[in-house]
Amino acid sequence: MKLNYTIAKSPLGKVLVAATEKGVSAVYLGGAESALLAELKAEYPRAKIAPAAQSVQRWVAEIVRQIEGRPSSVELPLDVQGTAFQRRVWKELQRIPRGTTRTYTQVAQSLGRPRAVRAVARACATNPVSIVVPCHRVIRQDGNLAGYRWGLSRKEQLLAAERSSAK
């Protein structure tokens, strides 16, 4: 597997976008470029990883746009690895309208698997393309924010940006 990556500035700090020739494979949020790159290498230990050429830049611009809370202007191609269930969850997350949330229970029910709440939470936690697959839109049953790989503060900021631009 060959992954090309770019790191850009965003309202939430740095954003790393990695892609194959087929589509986006990773979207990570963080503060330090070195930590983001180390995480990419750890998640894809067998991949050939190199800085991206211009081709990935249009995808990066779209992802930064979404981080800012603005609506998608294009549908980004994805090239992600996951189980059949994870892919179903990720597809369902993409159906959650910008500026709104669903509970883990609601997502499990919409998949016809009402008892799979923990599996839904695990699929959210292992989502390699945050923002594009908006796992930040999934919350606890009591309405509180729950774990987010990139920190609850970023999750809260993403939701606030989406709500304010959806008005």
Side-chain angles (χ1 to χ4, degrees), residues 55-96:
S55 60
V56 177
Q57 291 302 326
R58 68 183 188 280
W59 296 341
V60 173
E62 175 61 25
I63 290 165
V64 170
R65 176 183 172 83
Q66 290 177 27
I67 290 171
E68 293 168 345
R70 294 187 284 166
S72 301
S73 59
V74 296
E75 186 172 329
L76 296 174
L78 297 178
D79 186 8
V80 293
Q81 307 296 314
T83 66
F85 183 77
Q86 286 172 321
R87 288 174 178 274
R88 286 183 60 210
V89 171
W90 298 336
K91 195 61 144 173
E92 187 63 28
L93 299 184
Q94 289 180 296
R95 291 185 183 104
I96 301 172

Side-chain angles (χ1 to χ4, degrees), residues 92-156:
E92 187 63 28
L93 299 184
Q94 289 180 296
R95 291 185 183 104
I96 301 172
R98 184 175 58 87
T100 65
T101 58
R102 299 286 183 275
T103 66
Y104 295 99
T105 301
Q106 288 172 320
V107 173
Q109 289 170 341
S110 68
L111 294 170
R113 303 271 311 271
R115 295 175 47 139
V117 176
R118 291 181 81 161
V120 166
R122 184 73 186 135
C124 289
T126 58
N127 169 19
V129 286
S130 62
I131 312 304
V132 181
V133 173
C135 54
H136 62 276
R137 294 181 188 155
V138 184
I139 59 173
R140 293 180 5 180
Q141 187 72 31
D142 64 8
N144 290 318
L145 301 184
Y148 185 59
R149 183 176 179 179
W150 314 112
L152 288 182
S153 174
R154 284 190 178 100
K155 183 172 186 168
E156 189 172 29

Side-chain angles (χ1 to χ4, degrees), residues 34-47:
S34 58
L36 291 170
L37 186 55
E39 190 159 354
L40 181 68
K41 289 177 179 179
E43 193 155 337
Y44 297 94
R46 293 192 195 133

